[in-house]
Amino acid sequence: MTTRKLKKLKLKKLIWLFIALCLPLQSARAVLTIEITEGVEGALPMAIVPFAWEGANLPPREDVTAVIAGDLSRSGRFAPLPEEDLVARPHEAAQVNFQNWRIMGVDNLLIGKIRASSPGNYVVQFELFDVFKAKRLVGFNIPANDANLRYVAHQVSNIVYEALTGERGAFNTRIAYVTVNKKLMGPNKYFLYVADADGYNPREILASPRELISPSWSPDGQKLAYVSFEKNYSEIYIHDIRKGIRRRIARYPGHNGAPSWSPDGTQLAIVLSKRRKNDRSNFNIYIYTLKTKQLKRLTKHWAIDTYPIWTPDGKFIVFTSDRSGRPQIYKIPLSGGRAERLTFEGKENDRPVLSPDGKYLAMVQSGGGRSQIAVLDLVYGSLRVVTDGSLDESPSFAPNGSMIIYATNLDNKGVLSAVSVDGRVQTFIRETNGDVREPAWSPFIKQQP
Amino acid sequence: MNIFNQQVAIFKKIAILIVPVVVLWGCESTPDEKVDTSADAVKVDSGATPSGMDQDAGATARPMTEAKKHPLDDPSSMLADRTIYFDFDKNDIKDEFRDVIKAHADFLSSNPSAKVSIEGHADERGTREYNIGLGDRRANAVRQLLVLQGASSGQVDTISYCEERPAALGHDESSWSQNRRAEIVYTSR
């Protein structure tokens, strides 16, 4: 390289630096879009009639019916008829002709209306019918306003879902995730977000110039624990997302990682690599008690022990360990003792998560340069690979156990995907700029926004 | 590190790059080969510190015209080699890197004030926290060998960054093999 070329290069660098200093920070706001990519076999056909608007002014901006239809079809359990196929548009029970709907082959019919009670305030009324029995299953009036109309729409989805499946709906829950955009001009490239389970209302919780990993929800859905490298070394924080305040709970020499909340919310399982006397660090699982700040070592092994999670009864820790040579999943009593190996199929199994009822163990299974999400039925012992990407990771169960959200790659970009536990339905959640990763599905949240 | 520090670091880096250019411009008679060597030296220097740390910032204070180069700034020295590569899922040090580690151990033992941080990295396969474990093992393997060969344990720190700071961005073995590495970063000399 000649000096002239070299100088040119430096000049270019300086110009870029100048631009970087002068430009206002590029917006890092995440915009998520959700799409269902595959037709779903075995989904129940149903009809959802657009809710009527009864008010003197314009209807609210939020399309309540679209929110409900989106929820129900994404669950993989229902296949709403396309709107153009609706044979009639009843809004109350007296207008329903069940014979019409039987001919259309739908099992269930959802109708309703939105009434203006005062400016900005509404009553959402809906009724769900069994078409073949010509019977009303549920019906409610729910007060709503401009601010919580999406929340109320998800509430309707929850009621419909539970009436038809017997399972609690999880449409009013949230997902936490990390977005990464290394091309951003500002110092921050990593962002921790919380959005509604359908990807709406993304809210930035934290921005950092360096890695943010392993977010974990507190059982009350109010706090997130995570690992931040913002100071160029790892630390574990607990972040109150409602109050916007956080505190550091671990900054030991070596790695501080993989926090996981106990079911009662009083303790966290974490991973530390505190160096031992023999001058070798190793990764072990510790139990940290929030109230007393007391730390108790649980595993004592030279292997890498990581990704601890709690069984729903709070009595065992399930974790990854490579004590057999490759990462596999183990289980150890909280009181200590012998670790029992849980996975034998698959070259490597890592990052376990348990379904809320404790019956299914999902994990990242790797071999031959690919990794996918596998689900082990802990009752019957059968294992099923439920995804078909090449770099699938970070599984997290919906709080009703129906879906698993995970991180994958699509067109060389990090995206989130949700798959039903039986692998039938799959949806993708993309971020418009940058990569999305490390999803964590919240528990059921009691309070509404 | 906040944005101000980052920019200072960038300025320092640019200064490192610009100083030799200016110096060389000063002496028109310098043969072209010399210019090339200097450009290479710049390349080697920045190549050895891909993580963006400003550990070589001290070099800016040192006049480049000085007759005798600091051994850490000499691109022909074995000390210019600061990256140790590993096989998949492995943390044992391959024979080809033993001489490099020996050179750094010798330097550390004869320069007690020098300090290094060994940064462990993994390729993108595998989960992040497990990869941090793997990176830590690699960093520790280098650390142990340095200490075994004369560095004092207080001189050698380790840190692991999992797969987040790749040296190569591809999704195949040729990139992965460059990312499974431990980097020797001088934090003081």
Side-chain angles (χ1 to χ4, degrees):
Chain A
M1 198 190 277
T2 65
T3 45
R4 198 171 295 270
K5 267 189 189 158
L6 200 69
K7 188 192 152 220
K8 219 173 167 182
L9 207 83
K10 301 295 116 34
L11 203 69
K12 237 181 182 171
K13 271 198 173 176
L14 273 174
I15 292 169
W16 275 114
L17 185 67
F18 183 72
I19 293 171
L21 287 170
C22 296
L23 273 184
L25 300 185
Q26 189 183 328
S27 166
R29 188 162 174 74
V31 182
L32 297 181
T33 55
I34 300 197
E35 57 199 274
I36 299 174
T37 50
E38 287 159 36
V40 184
E41 253 174 77
L44 294 175
M46 73 181 294
I48 302 174
V49 178
F51 287 14
W53 166 242
E54 290 184 355
N57 302 318
L58 285 173
R61 254 187 329 131
E62 236 29 284
D63 186 345
V64 170
T65 319
V67 173
I68 298 166
D71 283 346
L72 294 173
S73 54
R74 270 195 316 280
S75 76
R77 308 287 287 266
F78 304 100
L81 278 186
E83 206 183 311
E84 61 270 24
D85 290 353
L86 296 174
V87 286
R89 299 198 170 219
H91 301 301
E92 45 197 73
Q95 300 165 341
V96 176
N97 177 346
F98 290 106
Q99 189 53 35
N100 280 346
W101 299 104
R102 279 181 206 132
I103 292 165
M104 291 302 297
V106 297
D107 297 346
N108 299 100
L109 169 69
L110 178 68
I111 62 169
K113 50 180 136 182
I114 303 164
R115 209 171 58 235
S117 50
S118 65
N121 289 291
Y122 317 100
V123 174
V124 177
Q125 184 185 87
F126 71 93
E127 293 175 281
L128 176 70
F129 298 95
D130 180 319
V131 167
F132 287 91
K133 289 181 187 154
K135 191 183 144 202
R136 194 176 93 147
L137 298 173
V138 282
F140 281 97
N141 291 312
I142 307 177
N145 56 52
D146 277 329
N148 75 356
L149 208 50
R150 282 195 79 89
Y151 183 91
V152 170
H154 293 313
Q155 248 181 316
V156 176
S157 306
N158 282 340
I159 293 165
V160 171
Y161 184 87
E162 185 160 354
L164 297 179
T165 67
E167 273 171 31
R168 189 169 172 187
F171 301 111
N172 256 331
T173 53
R174 296 188 188 139
I175 43 172
Y177 53 91
V178 173
T179 69
V180 187
N181 188 348
K182 293 194 174 146
K183 290 180 193 139
L184 286 178
M185 293 289 196
N188 294 325
K189 320 282 181 200
Y190 291 79
F191 303 87
L192 177 62
Y193 273 93
V194 170
D196 293 351
D198 62 357
Y200 277 80
N201 299 324
R203 203 151 61 85
E204 186 185 305
I205 304 299
L206 186 73
S208 170
R210 297 197 185 82
E211 298 89 329
L212 295 170
I213 60 169
S214 306
S216 165
W217 286 93
S218 64
D220 64 1
Q222 305 295 310
K223 299 188 190 85
L224 282 169
Y226 53 81
V227 177
S228 173
F229 279 83
E230 64 197 64
K231 300 200 183 96
N232 212 24
Y233 47 76
S234 60
E235 302 171 301
I236 301 174
Y237 286 91
I238 291 178
H239 200 121
D240 186 317
I241 59 172
R242 190 171 284 261
K243 295 182 189 143
I245 49 172
R246 62 174 191 163
R247 73 184 167 100
R248 187 172 69 184
I249 62 155
R251 191 300 177 239
Y252 294 94
H255 185 56
N256 302 257
S260 159
W261 237 288
S262 66
D264 66 3
T266 63
Q267 294 178 308
L268 285 146
I270 61 175
V271 171
L272 300 175
S273 69
K274 298 211 277 186
R275 208 180 285 284
R276 291 191 310 193
K277 275 197 203 110
N278 70 359
D279 217 33
R280 231 170 80 173
S281 65
N282 61 8
F283 284 53
N284 279 295
I285 291 156
Y286 291 73
I287 305 297
Y288 176 81
T289 303
L290 286 164
K291 208 170 170 186
T292 60
K293 298 186 177 174
Q294 193 200 342
L295 200 58
K296 192 187 128 217
R297 184 163 165 189
L298 181 61
T299 63
K300 299 174 174 115
H301 203 281
W302 55 264
I304 297 171
D305 291 346
T306 189
Y307 284 120
I309 49 154
W310 303 69
T311 52
D313 63 8
K315 289 181 179 157
F316 294 88
I317 296 290
V318 172
F319 62 102
T320 298
S321 176
D322 65 356
R323 54 188 66 191
S324 68
R326 299 263 182 191
Q328 293 291 346
I329 312 300
Y330 292 78
K331 177 180 172 181
I332 190 170
L334 198 66
S335 51
R338 209 180 65 83
E340 176 200 349
R341 182 167 163 180
L342 297 180
T343 52
F344 296 92
E345 263 181 79
K347 199 169 158 198
E348 296 190 353
N349 289 296
D350 194 357
R351 198 164 190 171
V353 277
L354 279 167
S355 61
D357 62 7
K359 287 180 183 160
Y360 296 96
L361 179 74
M363 64 204 123
V364 180
Q365 187 168 86
S366 336
R370 297 178 76 193
S371 64
Q372 282 135 1
I373 309 302
V375 178
L376 176 65
D377 183 326
L378 291 173
V379 180
Y380 295 103
S382 56
L383 185 122
R384 182 201 284 258
V385 176
V386 294
T387 67
D388 57 2
S390 58
L391 273 175
D392 298 340
E393 50 187 8
S394 311
S396 175
F397 273 98
N400 65 357
S402 63
M403 305 281 285
I404 297 167
I405 195 165
Y406 65 98
T408 184
N409 262 286
L410 206 61
D411 311 326
N412 238 337
K413 224 178 125 178
V415 302
L416 303 186
S417 183
V419 64
S420 55
V421 174
D422 55 13
R424 275 186 316 126
V425 68
Q426 196 167 28
T427 61
F428 284 102
I429 304 176
R430 300 173 194 247
E431 218 260 285
T432 42
N433 42 36
D435 297 299
V436 208
R437 53 165 71 157
E438 302 277 303
W441 208 315
S442 82
F444 289 113
I445 299 166
K446 285 191 190 94
Q447 287 161 282
Q448 76 174 69
Chain B
M1 204 197 285
N2 62 30
I3 186 165
F4 178 74
N5 281 343
Q6 267 183 349
Q7 279 159 7
V8 169
I10 292 167
F11 270 123
K12 279 179 178 169
K13 274 215 167 136
I14 288 170
I16 296 174
L17 297 164
I18 286 173
V19 164
V21 177
V22 173
V23 168
L24 289 166
W25 267 5
C27 33
E28 288 281 282
S29 63
T30 314
D32 269 309
E33 286 96 304
K34 268 243 166 107
V35 176
D36 281 338
T37 321
S38 186
D40 278 341
V42 169
K43 256 165 51 194
V44 169
D45 218 82
S46 56
T49 60
S51 61
M53 302 293 293
D54 49 352
Q55 66 278 358
D56 278 338
T60 50
R62 200 175 300 274
M64 294 301 277
T65 45
E66 203 181 330
K68 199 171 167 239
K69 262 189 182 158
H70 190 285
L72 285 178
D73 298 329
D74 181 1
S76 62
S77 157
M78 198 166 266
L79 292 171
D81 258 335
R82 294 178 197 172
T83 309
I84 318 295
Y85 297 98
F86 294 84
D87 286 337
F88 176 64
D89 252 3
K90 291 278 164 39
N91 61 287
D92 35 293
I93 291 170
K94 295 193 256 184
D95 287 342
E96 57 196 285
F97 297 109
R98 289 187 180 266
D99 290 345
V100 173
I101 294 174
K102 178 78 170 67
H104 286 281
D106 289 346
F107 178 82
L108 288 168
S109 76
S110 51
N111 294 273
S113 65
K115 282 197 169 106
V116 290
S117 173
I118 314 296
E119 300 183 349
H121 300 267
D123 68 37
E124 64 179 348
R125 294 171 297 169
T127 63
R128 292 196 169 78
E129 295 273 2
Y130 182 71
N131 277 342
I132 290 173
L134 279 183
D136 181 81
R137 268 188 194 157
R138 287 168 183 155
N140 269 291
V142 174
R143 178 180 196 274
Q144 278 182 313
L145 200 49
L146 283 171
V147 171
L148 211 68
Q149 294 180 326
S152 83
S153 65
Q155 282 178 292
V156 192
D157 204 0
T158 60
I159 187 158
S160 177
Y161 290 117
C162 66
E163 66 208 53
E164 290 294 310
R165 302 179 189 203
L169 293 170
H171 303 289
D172 50 24
E173 180 52 33
S174 71
S175 292
W176 292 334
S177 63
Q178 292 177 63
N179 294 336
R180 292 187 300 264
R181 68 201 194 278
E183 288 174 15
I184 302 171
V185 174
Y186 279 83
T187 51
S188 99
R189 46 171 71 185

